[in-house]
Amino acid sequence: ETGVTQSPTHLIKTRGQQVTLRCSSQSGHNTVSWYQQALGQGPQFIFQYYREEENGRGNFPPRFSGLQFPNYSSELNVNALELDDSALYLCASSGGGNANTGELFFGEGSRLTVL
Amino acid sequence: AQSVTQLGSHVSVSEGALVLLRCNYSSSVPPYLFWYVQYPNQGLQLLLKYTSAATLVKGINGFEAEFKKSETSFHLTKPSAHMSDAAEYFCAVTRNSGYSTLTFGKGTMLLVSP
């Protein structure tokens, strides 16, 4: 069973640029959630995708957008990067028998630094 | 609305000592509660979860937590700390709803000294 994988693991961007982060969900999972973890903070929910549709969104501006593909992999796009977007971005998958328990399986994250 | 509060951003214990990490929750509906552990430069790993079954929940690596509704608490304990337990620990809550969105606390860093 393949776990959740994310790419890239680290990247550096400058203010105003755009970034795309990628996530492959765990085998058999149809739901992908994205979280932002700023330094010294707990993860904050960005949004969730279920069967290619956005299925919930946290308090993040529209420049944070996402996609889910038919194979349930997902992308997180952030436009017009700001310094405060520097964080660890975590992808988590869930689904199947775990869908109603909230159990999420996390990847190792993509660490974004905005200069 | 749901929230969790973790008391203490850092907890220091000696190897072999009791570990107690505190978490209090606020939820308008019966909650599902979780503890996750994060090792440096890694993602989050589930330690244990409460999903309205037994109030005392046993997890991996010798950790356990007790759900106390009267105290709105879900504290994490381990009888004897090991050096490898040094990590950051997050308490999280979700509603019993169709989509599984977690609300995390700010985390508690556990430091274990020899």
Side-chain angles (χ1 to χ4, degrees):
Chain A
E1 184 178 82
T2 306
V4 178
T5 58
Q6 293 186 242
S7 63
T9 54
H10 296 81
L11 69 165
I12 299 174
K13 294 284 188 177
T14 56
R15 277 188 305 173
Q17 285 189 312
Q18 178 264 346
V19 68
T20 297
L21 308 178
R22 296 177 176 83
C23 172
S24 293
S25 60
Q26 184 164 311
S27 176
H29 287 182
N30 55 19
T31 303
V32 172
S33 305
W34 286 92
Y35 287 78
Q36 180 196 64
Q37 186 180 13
L39 197 61
Q41 300 294 318
Q44 299 286 315
F45 174 68
I46 303 174
F47 44 56
Q48 182 181 78
Y49 280 83
Y50 171 68
R51 295 186 175 181
E52 303 178 59
E53 298 278 339
E54 188 178 290
N55 187 37
R57 188 178 183 93
N59 188 26
F60 280 81
R63 59 189 185 84
F64 285 78
S65 63
L67 282 174
Q68 188 178 32
F69 299 99
N71 66 355
Y72 303 132
S73 65
S74 177
E75 287 183 354
L76 164 66
N77 298 289
V78 186
N79 293 322
L81 284 167
E82 302 177 358
L83 296 179
D84 285 349
D85 296 333
S86 295
L88 181 67
Y89 289 85
L90 295 165
C91 172
S93 72
S94 60
N98 297 324
N100 290 325
T101 67
E103 183 165 359
L104 300 178
F105 295 82
F106 284 86
E108 295 196 348
S110 294
R111 184 165 297 283
L112 171 65
T113 302
V114 182
L115 302 176
Chain B
Q2 314 154 86
S3 65
V4 291
T5 301
Q6 293 184 240
L7 298 177
S9 58
H10 291 79
V11 169
S12 295
V13 300
S14 299
E15 193 172 21
L18 171 71
V19 175
L20 171 60
L21 304 182
R22 299 178 186 272
C23 173
N24 288 89
Y25 70 90
S26 172
S27 179
S28 57
V29 297
Y32 284 177
L33 292 159
F34 303 78
W35 277 98
Y36 280 85
V37 61
Q38 186 176 36
Y39 297 100
N41 300 314
Q42 293 190 24
L44 281 76
Q45 179 183 9
L46 180 66
L47 273 179
L48 50 80
K49 62 182 180 182
Y50 167 76
T51 57
S52 74
T55 56
L56 181 62
V57 181
K58 294 187 183 298
I60 62 172
N61 301 338
F63 284 94
E64 63 181 37
E66 187 172 7
F67 173 71
K68 292 187 176 180
K69 185 177 179 180
S70 61
E71 299 178 6
T72 62
S73 69
F74 190 58
H75 302 331
L76 182 70
T77 60
K78 182 174 180 177
S80 177
H82 192 272
M83 296 295 290
S84 61
D85 295 327
E88 189 149 27
Y89 292 79
F90 292 94
C91 182
V93 63
T94 189
R95 300 179 303 172
N96 181 11
S97 65
Y99 70 90
S100 45
T101 302
L102 294 179
T103 300
F104 285 88
K106 292 188 174 182
T108 298
M109 181 67 72
L110 176 64
L111 306 170
V112 183
S113 56

